[in-house]
Amino acid sequence: MSVGLYLQKAREAAGYSVDDVARHTRIRPKVIKDLESENFESSGGSAYAKGHIRNIATYVGADVEKVIAAFDERT
């Protein structure tokens, strides 16, 4: 499973825009877009990327453990 695609699909299924997620999580829209594009460098490192992914997944109602496990496999 692609971490970015999973986050994007979960966000869209919840009916949220990138800006909605950014406002609620206080994660910059560029970072959210980068995560959805599998670009984890703009998060500031693996630990920060994992934290951002966890926050986004929680907000959009995604399976947090599933997406974190996929991220761990990817990185």
Side-chain angles (χ1 to χ4, degrees):
M1 170 186 63
S2 163
V3 174
L5 185 59
Y6 183 79
L7 287 176
Q8 180 183 4
K9 294 294 184 189
R11 175 181 57 75
E12 291 171 349
Y16 297 126
S17 69
V18 169
D19 289 334
D20 293 333
V21 175
R23 274 191 299 278
H24 181 79
T25 62
R26 298 186 171 265
I27 300 169
R28 290 178 295 137
K30 180 189 180 336
V31 173
I32 295 168
K33 289 177 188 173
D34 284 350
L35 290 171
E36 289 183 356
S37 298
E38 301 282 320
N39 176 5
F40 304 117
E41 286 86 40
S42 68
S43 291
S46 182
Y48 288 109
K50 190 182 280 192
H52 292 329
I53 290 167
R54 185 178 303 279
N55 287 338
I56 293 166
T58 299
Y59 180 63
V60 302
D63 184 336
V64 175
E65 297 308 316
K66 181 178 179 178
V67 73
I68 292 297
F71 175 78
D72 288 341
E73 286 179 22
R74 169 86 164 64
T75 58

